[in-house]
Structure formats: structure tokens, C-alpha cells
Amino acid sequence: MKFKITTALLLTVLGAQAQKVDVPTSFKNAAIQTGILIKNVDSARKEKPNFVSPRTVENGKLKMVVSRDWTSGFFPGELWYFYEYNKDSKWLELAKKYTEDIKKEQFTTTTHDLGFMIYCPFGAGYRLTKDTAYRSVIVQAAKSLSTRFNAKAGVIRSWDHSGTKWKYPVIIDNMMNLELLFEASKFTGDSSFYKIAVTHANNTIKNHYRPDFSSFHVVDYDTENGGVLQKTTAQGYANESSWARGQAWGLYGFTLCYRYTKNPVYLAQADAIAKYILNNKSTPADGIPYWDYNDPQIPNVSRDASAAAITASALYELAKYSKNAKTYKAAADKILYSLSTAYTSKIGDNYGFILEHSTGHRPNNSEIDVPINYADYYYLEALLRYDGKFNFK
Ligand code: GLY
């Protein structure tokens, strides 16, 4: 798809060209913050050992979560990224230690979030150490995730909760879990993981996207006949609105589908989603979107730095495949520059979380304008991808 350059996009890109991201300083500051976070995590775990990973700051306090929480893998995933960046054995030992705490989730079959929980830490662990024990965990997690695929609907079920609202809910976030299936297929030669991943991706293109390539959040399927029952939201402003993080998950998800399949349909989808995101007029000049592109209270609502970090990381990868490489790199640089200069915590603040100003679940009135672990994880990933030196995915 050829990119149509609008004024908004041109301003974004021109603004970005002047801004060089200082990766070494950003990593240095992030490492100091994460050292502080680790101390806070260790002291919280003395009181409640089952609460293994830091998620956010809630009511002024560090919020820890159990390994079953969908965000549990981001913290150990970040520790692997520090090791990847500086090859310091201190980070290797920390990454190994905190990754172990998530291991039992490889057997979980009651959520789709295994890509986040397992693939983020174990995928990096295997990539960086070649320890086959990590590979086994990934394969088992892919088996667990595959149990949630329904052949009639052709998609993986996301949530088991909220049975009164949805019969078979599939959320756009689910695209992120396909990486686990593609990798497991590579490791084992078992094409069933691959087939599930592409079937899910194809049905997501068909049912989750609007003509302007914005995405619904939740699509509810009828498993009797494979039809769609309803298209709604859980975390966005409205059923018809574009929840910012959902757009970012879709962009990243179809980019990774292209990485594994080289199917041009996925590249075209990712290009079209990028166009939607980058041309969106509601996003301020610094490139960090409001939590939902269609909240009528804009500009008096919270931003979502996590959506920005996911988008930047995805754009760096998409730039490797797309004709629009220059535009994507410039837009990602702009976002990353903003995050690394205006959205980072002051050293010592926020219990050691790296970024501020994310929005987790606004309709629930929770996690509004806070630090959050997945913003930090994708920020570090984007920093690693910035200059192509760590060409890992
Ligand atoms: N996957 C849940 C979220 O993005 O909040």
C-alpha cells in the first residue's frame, strides 16, 4: 500500500527528523530505575511471596501481581532486554531468576495471554541463552494456548470471564499471542500451531477491522455457525471508538504475522493500520496518543504511553519490510524521543517504573495516567530496535 502523506503526517515526520534518541543515556537511566524497582519488588515479595511481578502504582503504592496476571511476564522480559543491551552477567542472573517465577503458567488454559506471560520472558531467554529448557516451556505454552482455538469460529478465545456479556470473546490484543504459536511451530515442526495462528489472523482481518482500518476491541463469535454475534469494547470509550492500545496491538500483531509468513496480506494490513494511527488528527504533536482516539473529552483526558511504546517498537520492525520505511522510522523516532525525554520518571520516583502516563483500563476507572510494566517493556524493546544494532526480530 502506498502511503498518502497528509499535513498531520508530514508535521510528525518533519518533527522527528531533528530528534535523535540518546539510547545509551536512556538505557542507563532505565537501568538505574529498574535497580530501584527490583529492591522494591524484593521487599514486597518478603510479605507476599506469590505476588511475583510489579505491574503499576495504585493509590500511591506498588502493585504486585501473581504469575497468572496477564502482565506478569513483562518484568522478567525487561531484565532480558537489559542483558541483551549490555551483556552484563548481573542482568543475566536477574533475568533467569525472575523468569522462573512465571514458568508454571505454561500449563494455564484459562486465558489467551500466554504470549505475553510466557513468550516475552522465555522467548528472550531462549534467544539469548539457547537453553532448551526455555524452549520446552514455550512449546508447552503453545499447546495450552491451542486448546482455546475453536475450528468453527476459526479463532482463539480470549477471555473466559464475563459470560453474560459475551459467548466467545476475541480481543484485538490476542494478535500478540500468535508469536508464541509461530515460534513453537518453528521449534517442533508441528504445523498445527502455524495453522491456528494464520487462521486466527485471517479471521481477525475479516471481523475486527472497519473500512478505515481501525479496530474493534472485542468481537463475540458464535461457535455453532462461526458467525459474529457482536462487535463491542471493554477497555475503549465506546463500541465504535478506537481504543489506542488496541490499534497498537493490531499493528504489532500483523507485523509479526508478516515476519513469520511473508504473506503480503499481513504486510498490507500492517501498512493500513499504520496509516490509520499516524494520520490520526487527535494525536498531539509529541506523538503520544490519548487513551482512545475518539474520546470526546480530548484534550482533557489521559494519554497512553504504553500504546505509543508498542507502536514505536512495531514501526521499527515494519520499517524493515514496508515501502514506507522512512516514514515509519521517522514516526517511531519521534515517539521514542518523546518517551525518552518527557515521559520518563524522575530517578527514584514511581517505585522504579521507567515511564509515566499510561492508561490501563479507563472505563473501569483503574490505572489512569500511571506507570505500567508493559509500557516499560515495549519502550526498552523500541530502544533496542532504534538503530538496528539489535536486529533480533
Ligand atoms: N491486553 C490487555 C490490555 O492491553 O490492557
Side-chain angles (χ1 to χ4, degrees), residues 70 116 173 235 243 245 249 360 374:
W70 79 272
F116 291 124
D173 325 26
Q235 280 163 266
W243 174 52
R245 196 162 54 257
W249 290 141
Y374 43 92

CSV table of all heavy atoms in Angstrom, one decimal, residues 70 116 173 235 243 245 249 360 374, ligand 1:
chain,number,residue,atom,x,y,z
A,70,TRP,N,-2.0,-11.2,33.5
A,70,TRP,CA,-1.6,-11.2,32.1
A,70,TRP,C,-0.3,-10.4,31.9
A,70,TRP,O,0.4,-10.5,30.9
A,70,TRP,CB,-2.7,-10.6,31.2
A,70,TRP,CG,-2.9,-9.1,31.2
A,70,TRP,CD1,-3.7,-8.4,32.0
A,70,TRP,CD2,-2.3,-8.2,30.3
A,70,TRP,NE1,-3.6,-7.0,31.7
A,70,TRP,CE2,-2.7,-6.9,30.6
A,70,TRP,CE3,-1.4,-8.3,29.2
A,70,TRP,CZ2,-2.4,-5.7,29.9
A,70,TRP,CZ3,-1.0,-7.1,28.5
A,70,TRP,CH2,-1.5,-5.9,28.9
A,116,PHE,N,2.0,-13.1,26.1
A,116,PHE,CA,2.6,-12.0,27.0
A,116,PHE,C,3.3,-12.7,28.1
A,116,PHE,O,4.4,-12.3,28.4
A,116,PHE,CB,1.5,-11.1,27.5
A,116,PHE,CG,0.8,-10.2,26.5
A,116,PHE,CD1,-0.6,-10.3,26.3
A,116,PHE,CD2,1.5,-9.3,25.7
A,116,PHE,CE1,-1.2,-9.4,25.4
A,116,PHE,CE2,0.9,-8.5,24.8
A,116,PHE,CZ,-0.4,-8.6,24.6
A,173,ASP,N,-6.1,-7.6,21.1
A,173,ASP,CA,-4.8,-7.9,21.8
A,173,ASP,C,-4.3,-9.3,21.5
A,173,ASP,O,-3.1,-9.6,21.6
A,173,ASP,CB,-5.0,-7.8,23.3
A,173,ASP,CG,-6.0,-6.7,23.8
A,173,ASP,OD1,-6.9,-6.3,23.0
A,173,ASP,OD2,-5.8,-6.2,24.9
A,235,GLN,N,-12.4,-2.1,27.0
A,235,GLN,CA,-11.4,-1.1,27.5
A,235,GLN,C,-11.5,0.3,26.8
A,235,GLN,O,-10.7,1.2,27.2
A,235,GLN,CB,-10.0,-1.6,27.6
A,235,GLN,CG,-9.8,-2.5,28.8
A,235,GLN,CD,-8.6,-3.4,28.6
A,235,GLN,OE1,-8.7,-4.6,28.2
A,235,GLN,NE2,-7.5,-2.9,29.0
A,243,TRP,N,-9.9,2.4,20.5
A,243,TRP,CA,-9.0,2.3,21.8
A,243,TRP,C,-7.6,2.3,21.3
A,243,TRP,O,-7.2,1.5,20.5
A,243,TRP,CB,-9.4,1.1,22.5
A,243,TRP,CG,-8.6,0.8,23.7
A,243,TRP,CD1,-8.3,1.6,24.8
A,243,TRP,CD2,-8.0,-0.5,24.0
A,243,TRP,NE1,-7.6,0.9,25.7
A,243,TRP,CE2,-7.4,-0.4,25.3
A,243,TRP,CE3,-8.0,-1.7,23.4
A,243,TRP,CZ2,-6.7,-1.4,25.9
A,243,TRP,CZ3,-7.3,-2.8,24.0
A,243,TRP,CH2,-6.7,-2.6,25.2
A,245,ARG,N,-4.6,1.6,22.6
A,245,ARG,CA,-3.7,0.4,22.7
A,245,ARG,C,-4.1,-0.7,21.8
A,245,ARG,O,-3.3,-1.5,21.3
A,245,ARG,CB,-3.6,-0.1,24.2
A,245,ARG,CG,-2.4,-1.0,24.3
A,245,ARG,CD,-1.9,-1.1,25.8
A,245,ARG,NE,-2.9,-1.6,26.7
A,245,ARG,CZ,-3.6,-0.8,27.6
A,245,ARG,NH1,-3.3,0.5,27.7
A,245,ARG,NH2,-4.5,-1.3,28.4
A,249,TRP,N,-1.8,-2.9,19.4
A,249,TRP,CA,-1.6,-4.4,19.4
A,249,TRP,C,-1.8,-4.9,18.0
A,249,TRP,O,-1.1,-5.8,17.5
A,249,TRP,CB,-2.7,-5.0,20.3
A,249,TRP,CG,-2.6,-4.8,21.8
A,249,TRP,CD1,-3.6,-4.6,22.7
A,249,TRP,CD2,-1.4,-4.9,22.6
A,249,TRP,NE1,-3.1,-4.6,24.0
A,249,TRP,CE2,-1.8,-4.7,24.0
A,249,TRP,CE3,0.0,-5.1,22.4
A,249,TRP,CZ2,-0.9,-4.7,25.0
A,249,TRP,CZ3,0.9,-5.1,23.4
A,249,TRP,CH2,0.5,-4.9,24.7
A,360,GLY,N,-4.4,2.2,31.7
A,360,GLY,CA,-4.7,0.7,31.7
A,360,GLY,C,-6.2,0.4,31.3
A,360,GLY,O,-6.4,-0.2,30.3
A,374,TYR,N,4.0,-2.9,31.0
A,374,TYR,CA,4.1,-3.2,29.6
A,374,TYR,C,4.6,-2.0,28.8
A,374,TYR,O,5.2,-2.1,27.7
A,374,TYR,CB,2.9,-3.8,29.0
A,374,TYR,CG,1.5,-3.2,29.4
A,374,TYR,CD1,0.9,-2.2,28.7
A,374,TYR,CD2,0.9,-3.7,30.5
A,374,TYR,CE1,-0.3,-1.7,29.0
A,374,TYR,CE2,-0.4,-3.2,30.9
A,374,TYR,CZ,-0.9,-2.2,30.2
A,374,TYR,OH,-2.1,-1.6,30.5
B,1,GLY,N1,-4.2,-6.9,27.0
B,1,GLY,C1,-4.9,-6.0,27.9
B,1,GLY,C2,-4.6,-4.6,27.7
B,1,GLY,O1,-4.0,-4.2,26.7
B,1,GLY,O2,-4.9,-3.9,28.6
